[in-house]
Amino acid sequence: MPASPSPSSSSSSSSSSRKPLLISAGVALAAVTLGLVSWQATKPDNGTAGTAPSSAASAPETGSATDPAAQLKALARRESGDKLAAGRADAPVVLIEYSDFKCGYCGKFARDTEPELVKKYVEDGTLRIEWRNFPIFGADSEAAAKAAWAAGQQDRFAQFHAAAYAEGAKEKGFGADRLTELAREAGVPDLERFEKDRAGEQAAAALAKDQEEGYRIGVTSTPSFLINGQPIAGAQPPAAFDAAIAKAKAQAQAAAK
């Protein structure tokens, strides 16, 4: 079930060294944090997925530097060469997913909901999905995240993602041999390069970038999502994502007129 990151003592010491990537003013950072209070309050608890609050769903979407929704929307990277993304870089809706390969609810979303979102919205150009590795369950989680990144360098992130989130996969652990097995299952062509990449500095830097982003905006559990800046906590039913995507698409179309 979802869990919180490291204890507050370590979190406070690490957060003091983090430098916001997109938010330079303390006031703006505070606005984003406050904008996520209701999101954190509805994170999954005791095996039950939270419900996206109405206050988050109705947050204003303007270009103001202190508008939380605009700041969160700006987190979409929209990089055409992003190996951990699917869909057009110019899609009107971007779903950002913060997830952990040892998280049971992340696996449920990956198996039960995500494939339908890809089929319904990514393939027709409406939606772009950007994954953020956000390991909170220790060393195995971090190792799996780096391995997923390494698989992505050979254009096999989606396949590795599916293999690592398959039913019963996390129960087998994510030790070194198991990660190699998953890479082979995902069709990673050069396993020697895979081993080198997942142990390299670039993998560590990519993971740190995703983690810093998640901690900075207040993510405390997995899976957590942003849909054009609007938070959704937990593995919600497909209808919740359908509604959020439809709303975000309508807003994007209205703004483009």
Side-chain angles (χ1 to χ4, degrees):
M1 61 185 291
S4 295
S6 56
S8 57
S9 58
S10 60
S11 293
S12 59
S13 62
S14 61
S15 63
S16 64
S17 64
R18 297 189 189 103
K19 296 181 180 179
L21 301 179
L22 296 173
I23 306 173
S24 58
V27 173
L29 177 57
V32 172
T33 303
L34 290 173
L36 285 175
V37 169
S38 57
W39 178 12
Q40 295 177 30
T42 59
K43 67 181 183 291
D45 184 37
N46 295 329
T48 302
T51 301
S54 58
S55 58
S58 61
E61 190 166 347
T62 70
S64 169
T66 58
D67 172 27
Q71 296 287 353
L72 294 176
K73 185 177 179 181
L75 293 175
R77 296 170 186 171
R78 292 185 178 275
E79 298 168 357
S80 59
D82 190 342
K83 301 291 188 179
L84 273 65
R88 292 169 43 175
D90 63 349
V93 183
V94 179
L95 182 155
I96 301 175
E97 174 187 347
Y98 300 88
S99 59
D100 183 316
F101 284 104
K102 289 190 71 176
C103 165
Y105 283 103
C106 297
K108 178 176 176 58
F109 174 80
R111 293 188 300 272
D112 299 345
T113 303
E114 199 163 65
E116 289 302 311
L117 296 182
V118 171
K119 185 182 299 183
K120 291 170 66 175
Y121 304 112
V122 173
E123 292 180 2
D124 75 357
T126 296
L127 180 68
R128 174 178 176 83
I129 300 177
E130 295 185 358
W131 288 274
R132 304 286 194 264
N133 281 313
F134 195 73
I136 59 176
F137 288 101
D140 267 13
S141 292
E142 293 195 3
K146 291 176 182 178
W149 181 89
Q153 302 316 293
Q154 299 186 55
D155 299 315
R156 289 295 186 275
F157 173 79
Q159 292 84 350
F160 186 96
H161 178 273
Y165 277 132
E167 190 73 53
K170 75 182 182 73
E171 284 74 19
K172 298 179 181 179
F174 293 115
D177 291 344
R178 174 61 177 155
L179 292 173
T180 301
E181 180 183 339
L182 287 170
R184 187 177 292 109
E185 184 179 338
V188 174
D190 188 339
L191 292 177
E192 184 176 347
R193 177 189 170 187
F194 167 80
E195 302 292 353
K196 181 179 179 180
D197 283 348
R198 73 183 181 87
E201 293 182 0
Q202 284 186 295
L207 175 58
K209 180 180 179 180
D210 287 354
Q211 288 178 309
E212 189 276 331
E213 178 182 295
Y215 284 122
R216 177 162 52 86
I217 65 172
V219 176
T220 60
S221 62
T222 57
S224 288
F225 308 91
L226 295 173
I227 297 181
N228 277 14
Q230 305 303 321
I232 291 183
Q236 299 286 334
F241 290 93
D242 289 336
I245 291 168
K247 180 177 180 180
K249 181 180 180 181
Q251 290 175 332
Q253 290 174 333
K257 291 181 179 179

